[in-house]
Amino acid sequence: MQASPEVRQRYERFIPGRGKGPHKAGGKEFCEKTPRKNNRPRSRSTRMQARALKEIIHYQQSSDLLLQGLPFQHLVQEIDQNICQDNNTQLKRFQSTAVLALQEASEAYLVGLFEDT
C-alpha cells in the first residue's frame, strides 16, 4: 500500500535533497546534508515531524500485525479466565487461527479508532 500523496509531499519537504531534483538513492550522496540557506541546524520539532511522517509511511506500506502475537494471546486467555470465574465455567482452549482472527479484528478496530481522532 502506497502512502497518500499528501503525506508523501509533506514528508519529502523535511528530507534534505528530496523533492528538489534528481538524487542518488542508497549511496553516500543521498545521506550527505545539503547546504542550508541560513546555515542553521534543523529545529527539534522539524526533525520530530519528519520522523513521525516517516513512521506513518512505513506503517501504511506494511501489512504486518502491529501487536505481538504471544502477549495478545495471554491477554485473550486472561480475559477468558476472568469471564469463566464469573460464570463458574471451565477454561477454554483457543485455536491459533481464532486468536489470529481476534487479533486482526482488534487491530482493525484500534486503527479505525485512532484514525477518527
Side-chain angles (χ1 to χ4, degrees):
M1 182 165 104
Q2 292 291 331
S4 64
E6 300 86 24
V7 171
R8 186 167 294 285
Q9 186 178 15
R10 278 186 269 151
Y11 170 64
E12 287 177 351
R13 199 171 48 154
F14 294 106
I15 299 177
R18 289 293 302 260
K20 297 181 179 111
H23 63 279
K24 295 182 180 178
K28 288 186 177 180
E29 295 84 8
F30 180 72
C31 296
E32 291 176 1
K33 287 190 172 183
T34 57
R36 298 191 45 85
K37 293 177 185 174
N38 52 9
N39 288 337
R40 287 177 36 209
R42 293 185 183 272
S43 67
R44 183 170 188 254
S45 62
T46 305
R47 288 191 309 260
M48 291 173 60
Q49 289 172 353
R51 183 172 182 186
L53 290 171
K54 188 175 182 179
E55 286 180 9
I56 288 171
I57 290 172
H58 170 73
Y59 286 120
Q60 282 180 344
Q61 291 177 346
S62 70
S63 61
D64 302 343
L65 293 174
L66 302 174
L67 301 173
Q68 297 292 323
L70 198 58
F72 185 80
Q73 184 176 358
H74 290 303
L75 177 67
V76 169
Q77 290 173 351
E78 183 181 340
I79 291 171
D80 179 53
Q81 185 178 13
N82 291 338
I83 291 172
C84 289
Q85 284 178 354
D86 294 343
N87 298 335
N88 294 328
T89 58
Q90 291 182 344
L91 294 176
K92 298 168 190 64
R93 294 185 181 185
F94 290 95
Q95 292 182 354
S96 60
T97 53
V99 174
L100 186 62
L102 281 171
Q103 184 175 359
E104 288 183 8
S106 61
E107 284 190 14
Y109 174 76
L110 288 173
V111 167
L113 185 70
F114 287 131
E115 282 178 352
D116 294 340
T117 57

